Amino acid sequence: MRLDKLLSQMQVGTRSQVKEYIRNGNITVNGLVVKKPDYKADEQKDHICFMGKALKFQKFTYYMLNKPSGVVTATKDNRDRTVMDLMQDAVGKDLFPVGRLDKDTEGLLLITNDGALSHRLLSPKKHVEKTYYVECEGTLSSEGILMLEQGVDIGDEKRTLPAGVSNVKQSDGTYSMLLTITEGRFHQVKRMIGAVGGTVTYLKRISFGGLVLDETLEKGTWRALRQEEMEQLDKQGG
């Protein structure tokens, strides 16, 4: 693989940045300084260092995106801006969003090129937890909470699986709460709230599979996952 491409995939920097590093003599391959970006390196056998620090090739890349409203969860769309349009400078080939959030829904979205992990996290058999902060119009009764916790009829063949309801706060004709579900049905949260007489006015996912949204991330921005976060995800999807 070309050295500049390999270093980009190792998240040393963007393609233009790593070319500059290479030309400045910051990269060694097997102890020798290499100044040609098109130098052919073997990611499995060669010992590559950046400013004296050994690099380890990582086949897959993982990012946390704080999705804003108005952006569709897709790799391409002919009409709307997509979440991948927000990730144009991200390092990694064939990146895609894991699962989807509605266009008007904000919050945590995992972006990766690890298809196997994505399949495990989204498998209906795994029951991976997803927690949402929900603001609604209406009143949530104790009976409504119980319905959500036991599984509610949203018009599908089967009721939803039991959900977790917490941090319920009610005021005049509105309420908010945290809702944890273990499925990924179409418009599920909105339909669940509708089944108990409410209407969702704001929806934000704050956790997915043990991964918690970094609240320091501004809407529309992203960062690479930390090692402990990747380990948590792998545990959830294992």
Side-chain angles (χ1 to χ4, degrees), residues 88-143:
Q88 290 183 354
D89 293 332
V91 173
K93 186 179 180 182
D94 300 324
L95 294 168
F96 61 88
V98 178
R100 67 183 302 277
L101 294 177
D102 292 341
K103 184 177 178 179
D104 59 350
T105 300
E106 301 179 356
L108 175 62
L109 195 61
L110 174 64
I111 309 289
T112 186
N113 50 9
D114 188 341
L117 176 66
S118 174
H119 178 75
R120 295 197 303 272
L121 289 172
L122 298 177
S123 171
K125 297 179 181 179
K126 295 293 183 180
H127 303 310
V128 173
E129 290 189 347
K130 297 168 276 284
T131 299
Y132 295 83
Y133 168 73
V134 196
E135 293 181 356
C136 312
E137 288 183 350
T139 301
L140 184 62
S141 64
S142 56
E143 181 183 7

Side-chain angles (χ1 to χ4, degrees), residues 43-55:
E43 64 270 21
Q44 302 298 334
K45 297 180 181 178
D46 288 336
H47 182 68
I48 303 171
C49 294
F50 170 52
M51 300 184 71
K53 182 179 179 181
L55 301 175

Side-chain angles (χ1 to χ4, degrees), residues 66 213-218 221 223 226:
N66 186 357
L213 178 64
D214 184 342
E215 293 292 351
T216 66
L217 279 180
E218 295 184 7
T221 64
R223 67 163 173 79
R226 303 185 180 106

Side-chain angles (χ1 to χ4, degrees), residues 144 147-148 152-155 188-198:
M147 289 171 65
L148 294 171
V152 64
D153 182 358
I154 59 173
Q188 182 171 342
V189 172
K190 295 173 183 175
R191 293 163 69 198
M192 290 175 71
I193 298 302
V196 295

Side-chain angles (χ1 to χ4, degrees), residues 54-68:
L55 301 175
K56 183 179 179 182
F57 178 71
Q58 188 172 300
K59 185 176 181 181
F60 300 115
T61 49
Y62 308 86
Y63 297 100
M64 173 190 299
L65 169 70
N66 186 357
K67 178 191 173 299

